[in-house]
């Protein structure tokens, strides 16, 4: 039977090392002057240590060890713990002034997704969120996500509308990328991987997800499937973690396999066709590069000449015809349905049962 580890006690006060030193010499019947003489330290220095105006240096700790027969490590630890306590008290006071910043971040959703822990104390919750982002203060978050260093992120319409939600979602991509071991990016290997991944569209999530991630990692691309957050209306994002590692981050915004796979190949198009310094998050903004990525995904999954041939040969788009066409392409039939609906060859109310619904395993 396991027991939960209790939080370590962190007092809101700091014990002066000088108090312990004073008690020690008094117990030995030694005065401050005696201690100064025996250690060779000025009386003023000993008095300042006892009053907390001077620190116990490693040199002084060694001298105290000889005179008082108490290890230098004891005095060094006493001083270190005292300084750390002072720093924590100062940080506590500073963070208390910034708890309102939490309103910018979808804290409840991050907790629900299991990305951070819940704390009843506001300052502890603030520490938890800052730790999630890998920054020390709200000001550091502003510099990291809103400053000049992230000008690419801020070009997105979504980022401008809710930077807290967007940065929270993208941060999960960074965390996964940091932990994922990848081969250095290789465009040729990535193209080869995409050909294999194309056939995975017919598989269930239990089969395709680990294979998708493995094949991409071997080509230098981290694939991240991250739950949606409130006010974050995007199906995917692409950016470079460093020059050797790209990130494709996907959500299940549309909850169907045709949309997920189109989003994946769309993001793959950005990686193959566009620069390593660029950032793409799918929003309502249509640019030439987004059109290029759309075209790449469409033609990679269903080459236009093959689609045209299928349409010429099938004036009535039956489920049987769609299934046979999908089999000939070695892709999921739902992808064919999605393409036909997008090109207005098939009503959006038809053949949706050929698509596969997707949902998170641990959705709360």
């Amino acid at each position: 039977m396991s027991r939960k580890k209790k939080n370590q006690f962190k007092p809101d006060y700091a014990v002066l090392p000088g108090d312990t030193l004073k008690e020690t010499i008094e117990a030995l019947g030694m005065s401050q002057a005696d201690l100064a003489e025996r250690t060779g330290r000025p009386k003023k220095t000993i008095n300042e240590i006892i009053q907390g105006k001077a620190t116990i240096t490693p040199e002084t700790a060694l001298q105290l060890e000889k005179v008082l027969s108490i290890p230098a490590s004891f005095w060094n630890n006493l001083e270190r713990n005292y300084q750390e306590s002072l720093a924590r008290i100062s940080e506590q006071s500073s963070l208390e002034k910034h708890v309102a910043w939490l309103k910018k971040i979808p804290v409840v959703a991050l907790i629900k997704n299991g990305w951070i822990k819940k704390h009843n104390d506001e300052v502890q919750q603030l520490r938890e969120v800052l730790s999630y982002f890998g920054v020390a203060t709200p000001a550091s978050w502003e510099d990291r996500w809103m400053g000049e260093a992230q000008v690419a992120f801020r070009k997105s319409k979504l980022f401008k509308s809710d930077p807290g939600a967007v940065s929270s979602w993208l941060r999960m991509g960074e965390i996964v990328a940091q932990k994922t071991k990848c081969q250095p990016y290789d465009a040729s290997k990535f193209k080869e991987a995409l050909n294999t991944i194309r056939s995975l569209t017919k598989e269930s999530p239990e089969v395709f997800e680990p294979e998708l991630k493995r094949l991409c990692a071997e080509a230098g691309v981290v694939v991240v499937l991250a739950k949606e957050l409130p006010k974050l209306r995007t199906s995917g994002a692409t950016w470079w973690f460093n020059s050797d590692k790209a990130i494709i981050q996907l959500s299940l915004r549309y909850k169907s396999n045709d949309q997920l796979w189109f989003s994946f190949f769309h993001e793959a198009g950005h990686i193959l066709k566009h620069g390593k310094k660029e950032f793409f998050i799918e929003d309502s903004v249509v640019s030439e590069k987004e059109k290029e990525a759309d075209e790449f995904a469409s033609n990679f999954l269903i080459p236009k000449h093959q689609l045209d041939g299928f349409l010429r040969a099938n004036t009535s788009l039956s489920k049987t015809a769609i299934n046979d066409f999908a089999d000939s392409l070695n892709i999921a039939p739902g992808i064919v349905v999605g393409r036909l609906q997008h090109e207005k060859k098939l009503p959006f109310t038809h053949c949706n049962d050929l698509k596969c619904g997707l949902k998170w395993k641990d959705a709360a």
Side-chain angles (χ1 to χ4, degrees):
M1 182 177 178
S2 62
R3 297 177 63 185
K4 289 184 178 180
K5 186 178 179 181
K6 294 183 178 179
N7 291 332
Q8 294 182 342
F9 173 64
K10 294 177 181 177
D12 58 356
Y13 58 87
V15 178
L16 276 171
D19 290 346
T20 302
L21 179 59
K22 183 181 179 182
E23 291 174 2
T24 300
I25 62 175
E26 286 178 350
L28 295 172
M30 189 183 299
S31 67
Q32 293 183 32
D34 289 336
L35 181 61
E37 183 179 4
R38 290 171 181 270
T39 58
R41 308 297 291 174
K43 293 179 183 178
K44 181 181 178 182
T45 299
I46 297 299
N47 182 256
E48 288 180 342
I49 289 174
I50 288 175
Q51 292 185 50
K53 296 179 180 179
T55 62
I56 297 177
T57 65
E59 182 184 6
T60 302
L62 288 170
Q63 292 166 344
L64 293 175
E65 179 180 77
K66 294 184 181 71
V67 175
L68 304 175
S69 298
I70 297 176
S73 59
F74 172 82
W75 301 108
N76 285 325
N77 288 336
L78 203 64
E79 183 64 45
R80 186 182 67 250
N81 292 338
Y82 172 67
Q83 295 298 333
E84 183 179 326
S85 294
L86 287 181
R88 287 190 180 279
I89 292 169
S90 176
E91 183 202 41
Q92 176 79 12
S93 177
S94 175
L95 291 180
E96 284 174 353
K97 300 173 184 177
H98 293 96
V99 292
W101 173 78
L102 287 174
K103 294 178 181 178
K104 296 182 178 181
I105 309 298
V107 176
V108 174
L110 292 179
I111 294 170
K112 185 178 180 180
N113 284 358
W115 297 354
I116 63 172
K117 296 178 182 178
K118 181 181 179 180
H119 296 275
N120 293 325
D121 180 78
E122 286 185 321
V123 174
Q124 279 298 98
Q125 193 66 70
L126 177 55
R127 286 195 179 98
E128 178 77 14
V129 174
L130 292 173
S131 179
Y132 171 75
F133 280 106
V135 296
T137 65
S140 299
W141 178 88
E142 295 283 347
D143 290 340
R144 170 73 180 90
W145 292 96
M146 304 300 291
E148 290 301 318
Q150 296 303 338
V151 66
F153 286 170
R154 294 184 290 107
K155 286 181 179 178
S156 164
K157 183 178 179 180
L158 280 175
F159 200 95
K160 291 175 182 177
S161 65
D162 199 321
V166 177
S167 62
S168 296
W169 189 70
L170 294 176
R171 173 58 181 162
M172 178 48 62
E174 285 189 330
I175 292 171
V176 174
Q178 286 173 343
K179 297 177 180 178
T180 302
K181 292 183 179 179
C182 273
Q183 294 297 318
Y185 175 71
D186 186 309
S188 297
K189 286 184 179 179
F190 188 49
K191 289 176 183 177
E192 290 176 12
L194 292 181
N195 287 317
T196 303
I197 291 167
R198 192 169 176 274
S199 64
L200 290 177
T201 62
K202 300 185 297 182
E203 304 292 347
S204 66
E206 292 76 15
V207 174
F208 77 65
E209 183 179 349
E211 272 299 284
L212 170 67
K213 292 178 178 179
R214 182 187 67 80
L215 289 166
C216 288
E218 290 178 354
V221 178
V222 179
V223 175
V224 182
L225 293 173
K227 290 183 180 180
E228 302 79 23
L229 293 173
K231 299 181 182 180
L232 180 65
R233 297 174 178 84
T234 185
S235 57
T238 302
W239 75 101
W240 289 81
F241 185 74
N242 56 43
S243 61
D244 287 328
K245 183 186 289 188
I247 300 173
I248 290 179
Q249 187 162 338
L250 304 169
S251 72
L252 295 183
R253 180 187 177 192
Y254 297 106
K255 298 179 174 59
S256 65
N257 66 332
D258 63 311
Q259 293 283 1
L260 176 71
W261 286 115
F262 183 83
S263 294
F264 169 76
F265 283 99
H266 173 99
E267 305 304 338
H270 281 311
I271 290 175
L272 290 171
K273 290 179 168 294
H274 304 132
K276 292 185 177 183
K277 293 183 179 180
E278 295 189 79
F279 166 80
F280 299 94
I281 185 166
E282 307 319 315
D283 52 27
S284 59
V285 177
V286 179
S287 66
E288 286 304 312
K289 290 181 179 179
E290 292 299 334
K291 290 177 182 177
E292 288 175 2
D294 275 350
E295 185 178 353
F296 174 86
S298 296
N299 290 328
F300 196 93
L301 287 166
I302 307 175
K304 189 176 185 308
H305 71 277
Q306 289 184 275
L307 179 63
D308 290 342
F310 168 72
L311 290 172
R312 284 194 299 269
N314 295 271
T315 54
S316 61
L317 299 173
S318 67
K319 291 181 182 179
T320 299
I322 290 172
N323 273 314
D324 289 344
F325 182 49
D327 284 341
S328 72
L329 294 171
N330 201 23
I331 62 173
I335 294 174
V336 177
V337 173
R339 177 73 172 273
L340 292 172
Q341 289 174 341
H342 178 74
E343 297 199 3
K344 299 181 179 179
K345 304 297 183 182
L346 188 69
F348 283 97
T349 54
H350 286 44
C351 301
N352 288 319
D353 56 330
L354 294 182
K355 299 180 182 181
C356 293
L358 299 173
K359 64 180 182 178
W360 299 106
K361 283 184 182 179
D362 301 320

